[in-house]
Amino acid sequence: MAEIVFETLRLALETTRGTAIASPTHLLNYSGTLDPKTSRYRPKESRGTRVRNYRHVDTRALAEWSAEGDLDSLLAPLLLNMAVAPKSSPTTPLGATSARLWDHTGAITADDIKTATVWWGDPNLSHQLCSPFAFIDELTVENDASGEEVATVSVKGMAAKPTKVSPPAVTAPLSGVTFPGQLMQLWVDTSSAIGTTAITDRLISVSHTIKTGAKAKYIAKGPTHDLSFSRMGREQVVAITTELTVEVVDLTEYDYWANATDLKVRVRHNGAAIETITGPVTLYNYVEFDTYGTPSELEWTDNEGVNRALKFVIEGQYDATLASDIRVGVQNAQATL
């Protein structure tokens, strides 16, 4: 996605879905857009001429929004409020002074993910576009230890019909920590609790895809209706899919696939240290994804063309201990969103 100088994408989480917030609270330092969309109906008519279109009427108005950039320790909880579960305040890890843990565990019997009001455009112009009721349909995080960059995040979703508004006051960017691929950690457990069995010197790359199942719903509202959606629902989806690429040191990971073994997989994307506490134990900035399920879609690949590697996918499934099918944790030094 092209980065256009001066354009900004800003948002504020909504207290009530679809009720616009007056001004943004966060600047997403990502490339992004807010794309207006209209469904326009043109009747098919036979008037004895070659002309195809004589009339039209608009039947639906909305927007699509998207953003992509580096995964950031301070913006991650904001996006996870919209993609996994709401969390307005963190907990403090045992013994910590500065570190905070944002624990997002998806609800399976409630629809509680957050929506947002989104502003997009060049604030130097007379107007920006603004849409309430923005929701995330899909969030993807990718990281690669064999590359020279850091973990990236991309989101896409829908929003209500945009309007032109005067650019809000400047929103200060958050300076968060990023996550180099070589600092990743991997745990794979079968009978033991998740996060027990560390797997070292194997993980090459990972991709997490979170789907919310969010769907816009259109309801009749009379002759003054703006034709946008006014409600949102959720459908059954695989909430998280994790794709792992590991170097083949032995056939352990192959056996997991061949035997259809239920796995508990934790991938932690680590960044800079926050503090060292009694132990001594150093607490780091991180984002960790917990995925439960059976490996599928086996694919042989390679690591730098010199070693065999194995790629497989884990489609998230319900875990009785978690009482959910998805959890994402973020540790940072931020006490508020």
Side-chain angles (χ1 to χ4, degrees), residues 41-118:
Y41 176 75
R42 295 179 174 89
K44 292 182 178 180
E45 301 181 79
S46 297
R47 298 197 181 192
T49 75
R50 61 165 183 79
V51 177
R52 168 60 181 85
N53 296 322
Y54 280 92
R55 298 176 293 162
H56 66 81
V57 62
D58 289 350
T59 59
R60 182 175 289 186
L62 67 151
E64 295 176 353
W65 74 288
S66 61
E68 60 183 15
D70 296 337
L71 182 64
D72 182 288
S73 62
L74 299 185
L75 291 175
L78 180 76
L79 297 178
L80 293 171
N81 265 267
M82 302 178 67
V84 179
K87 194 76 173 181
S88 59
S89 60
T91 58
T92 301
L94 183 64
T97 301
S98 301
R100 299 292 183 267
L101 178 62
W102 301 78
D103 197 331
H104 301 266
T105 300
I108 66 170
T109 58
D111 177 12
D112 60 357
I113 56 174
K114 289 287 190 177
T115 59
T117 301
V118 175

Side-chain angles (χ1 to χ4, degrees), residues 141-152:
V141 169
E142 297 178 319
N143 209 353
D144 188 349
S146 67
E148 298 179 356
E149 298 183 348
V150 297
T152 60

Side-chain angles (χ1 to χ4, degrees), residues 157-228:
M158 294 174 60
K161 179 182 179 180
T163 58
K164 293 192 302 182
V165 298
S166 298
V170 173
T171 308
L174 296 176
S175 298
V177 169
T178 53
F179 305 98
Q182 292 193 60
L183 302 186
M184 287 189 292
Q185 290 174 283
L186 171 65
W187 291 263
V188 178
D189 292 283
T190 53
S191 58
S192 52
I194 191 168
T196 302
T197 309
I199 307 299
T200 58
D201 291 329
R202 298 194 187 203
L203 181 60
I204 301 170
S205 65
V206 64
S207 175
H208 311 281
T209 300
I210 294 174
K211 291 183 180 293
T212 66
K215 294 292 182 182
K217 299 193 294 186
Y218 296 84
I219 309 294
K221 295 178 74 70
T224 61
H225 190 17
D226 67 357
L227 304 180
S228 192

Side-chain angles (χ1 to χ4, degrees), residues 208-262:
H208 311 281
T209 300
I210 294 174
K211 291 183 180 293
T212 66
K215 294 292 182 182
K217 299 193 294 186
Y218 296 84
I219 309 294
K221 295 178 74 70
T224 61
H225 190 17
D226 67 357
L227 304 180
S228 192
F229 63 89
S230 54
R231 292 187 180 179
M232 188 187 90
R234 304 277 293 278
E235 63 178 354
Q236 286 187 325
V237 294
V238 176
I240 183 169
T241 301
T242 293
E243 180 184 272
L244 295 171
T245 302
V246 296
E247 186 163 298
V248 178
V249 179
D250 51 42
L251 292 181
T252 298
E253 285 74 31
Y254 171 81
D255 289 340
Y256 288 149
W257 172 83
N259 297 326
T261 306
D262 281 340

